[in-house]
Amino acid sequence: MIVVTGSSRGLGLAICERLHSLGVDVFGLSRDVSNATFPSMSCDVSSYEDVKKVVLTLKKEDKKVSGLVNAAGIASMNLAVTTPPTVSQKIIETNLLGTIFCCQLIAPLMMRNKCGSIMNFSTIAVSLGLKGESVYAASKAGVEGFTRSFAREMADFNINVNCIAPGPIDTSLLKGITTNQINKIVSQQIIPKQFSPDAICDLVELLLDARSNSLSGQVLHVGGA
Amino acid sequence: MTDIRHAVFQKILDGIEDKTIQVTDNTPLIGDGSVLDSMKLVELCLTLEDFAEEKGFEFDWTSDQAMSRSRSMFRTAGSLASEFTNQMDAEK
């Protein structure tokens, strides 16, 4: 089973739908699962207790977890000096702590089987140091650092941990960003084109495949950065 | 020694390659002189999780509460066995 966070929208939803369509056993986690078309459970990833409940459920149902995709994330495009403290806190809690909590609690389910693949999500905003995204970039830089160290901790258990860092993908996360702004970011990628969620789904499939088991602790930039 | 304490010590012993080592209350599990490396320590926790399930309770080895109660339950074999027993008794 592959556990995917942020499964109600954006990249998380696209990944769930792709894997589900391929017949992969998917389990989506999201605060709102009312419209889910695949097995899901309500979970706020920034709540340690919520994630723990998910783990207890998976253990009770004797599910064999072989993958975790930490796609849950929020963004708020704003200058750091005009970002309210509650917003900064929410971004760090969801993006960074949410990723850490899910890794801490769900990885042991994979460690029992000595195999698995974990994918965390960063952003091109980290490598480009994008203006107006400092708090968001800070949360994702934390995810990259966590990924590299956690990958070493998991290597003994034959679990690969990598980070996918997309450029601007057409999802609800881009709401409020103008076409000009998107084009400017895209032009700074090595491959200067805007990719669709399909490119991310392809990469997730690749990282779930045993043929990628030489990759761990890597930040994979979609579009190149 | 209670059966549970003995069982916890046995599970610690199972993870030690040098079978001449004897596990006592004071056997360190972390830091200087530790008999287990970090990987074996995590494996021990997973084994204790399963053991707790057999005994009908959830062994919590990650929460603040579990860690602060004994200032790292992994200090020694004795402190780990005590924490395991305490959590079992608390659930009854």
Side-chain angles (χ1 to χ4, degrees):
Chain A
M1 164 178 279
I2 311 298
V3 178
V4 181
T5 72
S7 61
S8 66
R9 62 196 174 117
L11 292 177
L13 176 62
I15 292 162
C16 283
E17 287 178 341
R18 165 74 72 89
L19 295 177
H20 191 56
S21 72
L22 294 170
V24 176
D25 195 8
V26 175
F27 193 64
L29 302 181
S30 171
R31 279 172 297 181
D32 178 14
V33 292
S34 53
N35 296 318
T37 55
F38 39 80
S40 301
M41 183 171 166
S42 176
C43 174
D44 175 356
V45 295
S46 67
S47 160
Y48 193 82
E49 290 309 313
D50 265 21
V51 182
K52 216 167 171 180
K53 278 180 199 157
V54 169
V55 172
L56 285 177
T57 302
L58 292 172
K59 278 171 77 176
K60 264 183 202 154
E61 294 179 6
D62 207 19
K63 296 289 185 189
K64 187 182 172 195
V65 177
S66 58
L68 167 66
V69 182
N70 282 309
I74 55 171
S76 171
M77 306 311 166
N78 223 330
L79 299 177
V81 292
T82 57
T83 303
T86 50
V87 173
S88 299
Q89 195 164 351
K90 192 73 197 154
I91 290 172
I92 299 293
E93 282 175 354
T94 304
N95 297 356
L96 180 54
L97 277 180
T99 297
I100 293 173
F101 289 165
C102 288
C103 284
Q104 284 177 313
L105 289 167
I106 297 174
L109 298 177
M110 291 185 245
M111 288 156 80
R112 290 169 180 279
N113 306 316
K114 293 246 167 61
C115 76
S117 178
I118 298 176
M119 280 153 266
N120 296 328
F121 273 79
S122 182
T123 166
I124 196 172
V126 172
S127 51
L128 297 184
L130 293 178
K131 183 180 177 183
E133 300 193 19
S134 39
V135 178
Y136 176 63
S139 71
K140 293 298 192 177
V143 170
E144 289 189 13
F146 175 78
T147 300
R148 281 191 289 269
S149 289
F150 192 57
R152 287 191 190 274
E153 294 174 15
M154 289 296 103
D156 286 336
F157 296 91
N158 199 29
I159 296 169
N160 295 358
V161 188
N162 290 291
C163 197
I164 298 174
I169 307 288
D170 190 16
T171 67
S172 57
L173 209 64
L174 291 187
K175 223 172 5 180
I177 304 184
T178 66
T179 307
N180 273 350
Q181 286 172 314
I182 290 170
N183 290 341
K184 196 174 165 194
I185 297 168
V186 168
S187 71
Q188 294 175 77
Q189 293 177 183
I190 291 173
I191 305 169
K193 95 175 204 192
Q194 187 178 14
F195 286 89
S196 72
D198 268 341
I200 310 298
C201 296
D202 290 342
L203 198 46
V204 168
E205 272 192 63
L206 175 78
L207 291 172
L208 287 175
D209 192 296
R211 283 173 292 182
S212 71
N213 68 9
S214 65
L215 292 177
S216 196
Q218 303 304 302
V219 179
L220 303 164
H221 297 276
V222 178
Chain B
M1 190 189 295
T2 66
D3 287 350
I4 294 293
R5 202 168 190 83
H6 179 75
V8 172
F9 280 17
Q10 184 57 50
K11 288 178 194 311
I12 294 169
L13 194 59
D14 290 344
I16 304 172
E17 278 181 28
D18 182 354
K19 297 302 177 195
T20 63
I21 292 175
Q22 284 199 328
V23 177
T24 67
D25 272 347
N26 297 323
T27 302
L29 300 182
I30 53 172
D32 287 345
S34 166
V35 292
L36 299 173
D37 62 22
S38 57
M39 183 184 169
K40 291 287 183 195
L41 187 65
V42 174
E43 282 178 345
L44 171 64
C45 291
L46 295 173
T47 305
L48 290 178
E49 243 185 44
D50 294 340
F51 183 45
E53 211 172 301
E54 282 172 32
K55 297 288 169 193
F57 74 102
E58 186 204 341
F59 177 54
D60 188 346
W61 47 284
T62 57
S63 71
D64 287 340
Q65 199 188 8
M67 296 301 281
S68 63
R69 202 180 297 156
S70 53
R71 294 189 188 276
S72 183
M73 65 172 104
F74 302 114
R75 218 169 48 249
T76 62
S79 61
L80 179 62
S82 296
E83 179 62 22
F84 187 88
T85 309
N86 288 343
Q87 288 193 25
M88 185 172 76
D89 293 343
E91 295 242 355
K92 276 180 185 168

